[in-house]
Amino acid sequence: MKHRQRTFVAAATAAALVLLGGCGSGDDNAAGGGSDAASGNKLAVVATTPEVADFVRNIGGSDVTVTQIIKPNVDPHDYEPTPADIQAIGNAAIVVKNGVGLEKWLDQTIESAGFKGTVVDSSQGVTLREGGHEESEGGQDEGEGEHEGEEHDPHIWHSPLNAKTMVANIEKGLAAADPAHAAAFAGNLKNYSAQLDKLDADNEAAFAKIPADQRKLVTNHDAFGYYIDRYKLQFVGSVIPSLDTSAELSAQQLNDLVAKIKATGTKAIFAESSLPPKSAEAIANQAGVKVISGEDALFGDSLGAEGTPEGTYLGAEQHNTQVIVAGLGG
């Protein structure tokens, strides 16, 4: 996989050099200069994931232009950059990433783009979960966001408390790059942090209606560790037994998961929007439980389509809680 990514980036770099010679746009989501006339003197920011891009839009407001690399319902674990991504990074003032090793492709892409600006790691200061639930049973590690690698769970945004840390890091990075708008960024941070507090309180209230022995979750992959820890759910297992989406269940693991679903009285398997539901449906059929998919699929690695309520972080997380609570019988 790493060799394939390096080969792709090298080829994409050559193509990007051609694009850089004759391509330009004032589009809000197009690559623009660090702060040029084409973008109305707005700070040009590249954000890697849908969640991080939404955070930047909320904190930056009308004073930034945001180029989002990974589109909705695209698996970030297996992403490969495009020539347009390299062009956008090369023209940006700031690159904002999720961190914790989620963007394995980013460092090489930044190097290929010749990017000399600031990289903001939104995970700085987040208390990281070490490994998946199978290994740690929800235990936490006090390491900081810079300790990247697959031994830590990168799905940090699924706790609104972590999201507050992420947006604070983003506000700090934007203010350093554009001091003239620092007061606006600070005001946006205050308002958005209050919305994150409300999300957290609403989630807690929703799960308070579910008896503790019914809060059992089976998902496509182990993406909800921070959410599970925050709201005191029980992780029964996942269709893909990994923090990323590259692993597959062995026959023995499949049988074990089916047996565990039956033994624990788990009511449903929750599919995810960025992953096909076929494996979840097969396991659900064997276990005799329902699979929740389609429009009710959870947003594990992504957000919903642009322009929909679920296309925002707040909307996607509200959707997840509503679906999980309904699926668990609340």
Side-chain angles (χ1 to χ4, degrees):
M1 178 66 184
K2 290 182 179 179
H3 175 72
R4 183 175 61 168
Q5 284 186 337
R6 286 195 296 269
T7 302
F8 183 89
V9 169
T13 303
L17 293 175
V18 176
L19 286 173
L20 285 167
C23 202
S25 171
D27 190 310
D28 228 22
N29 285 321
S35 183
D36 62 12
S39 58
N41 292 319
K42 297 179 180 181
L43 188 69
V45 183
V46 165
T48 55
T49 68
E51 297 83 9
V52 168
D54 188 56
F55 292 155
V56 175
R57 293 186 190 103
N58 277 281
I59 304 306
S62 60
D63 297 312
V64 302
T65 58
V66 183
T67 301
Q68 177 181 318
I69 297 293
I70 301 176
K71 304 308 182 213
N73 289 325
V74 173
D75 184 354
H77 297 285
D78 200 29
Y79 186 75
E80 292 186 343
T82 68
D85 297 336
I86 296 173
Q87 181 191 5
I89 290 172
N91 287 342
I94 293 180
V95 171
V96 182
K97 66 177 181 176
N98 178 86
V100 204
L102 184 65
E103 303 97 336
K104 300 177 180 68
W105 48 272
L106 184 59
D107 288 346
Q108 180 63 51
T109 307
I110 284 175
E111 182 179 343
S112 299
F115 176 71
K116 302 300 182 185
T118 301
V119 176
V120 175
D121 182 350
S122 66
S123 72
Q124 292 291 318
V126 171
T127 299
L128 301 178
R129 295 184 61 252
E130 185 173 352
H133 272 97
E134 296 294 340
E135 293 80 16
S136 67
E137 293 297 326
Q140 290 192 330
D141 174 66
E142 293 296 329
E144 297 298 314
E146 68 269 16
H147 297 148
E148 297 192 353
E150 293 203 33
E151 71 273 12
H152 291 116
D153 185 346
H155 306 88
I156 55 175
W157 63 90
H158 281 305
S159 166
L161 302 187
N162 291 345
K164 287 184 70 175
T165 298
M166 296 171 77
V167 295
N169 288 329
I170 291 168
E171 184 270 341
K172 182 179 178 181
L174 296 181
D178 186 5
H181 294 106
F185 300 146
N188 293 341
L189 175 63
K190 181 179 179 180
N191 292 336
Y192 192 68
S193 294
Q195 295 180 65
L196 293 174
D197 285 335
K198 184 179 186 304
L199 171 68
D200 185 50
D202 289 347
N203 286 349
E204 286 197 305
F207 283 111
K209 300 174 183 177
I210 305 290
D213 62 357
Q214 294 181 25
R215 301 177 193 174
K216 296 168 183 174
L217 202 63
V218 178
T219 55
N220 261 124
H221 80 299
D222 192 1
F224 291 89
Y226 297 96
Y227 186 96
I228 288 166
D229 290 348
R230 176 62 185 156
Y231 303 115
K232 299 178 174 60
L233 309 184
Q234 178 186 344
F235 181 72
V236 175
S238 56
V239 176
I240 300 172
S242 175
L243 293 172
D244 68 24
T245 56
S246 61
E248 293 183 3
L249 275 178
S250 66
Q252 183 60 52
Q253 287 173 316
L254 189 153
N255 291 334
D256 289 346
L257 178 57
V258 169
K260 195 171 183 182
I261 289 171
K262 291 179 177 180
T264 57
T266 300
K267 295 182 177 181
I269 296 177
F270 295 88
E272 296 174 37
S273 65
S274 58
L275 294 170
K278 289 185 177 180
S279 296
E281 290 168 349
I283 291 173
N285 184 55
Q286 289 191 42
V289 299
K290 60 188 174 181
V291 60
I292 297 175
S293 59
E295 291 184 356
D296 288 333
L298 301 183
F299 295 102
D301 278 337
S302 188
L303 301 182
E306 184 178 350
T308 67
E310 295 79 18
T312 68
Y313 170 78
L314 293 172
E317 293 295 315
Q318 289 164 354
H319 164 93
N320 286 346
T321 296
Q322 289 166 2
V323 168
I324 292 171
V325 168
L328 298 182

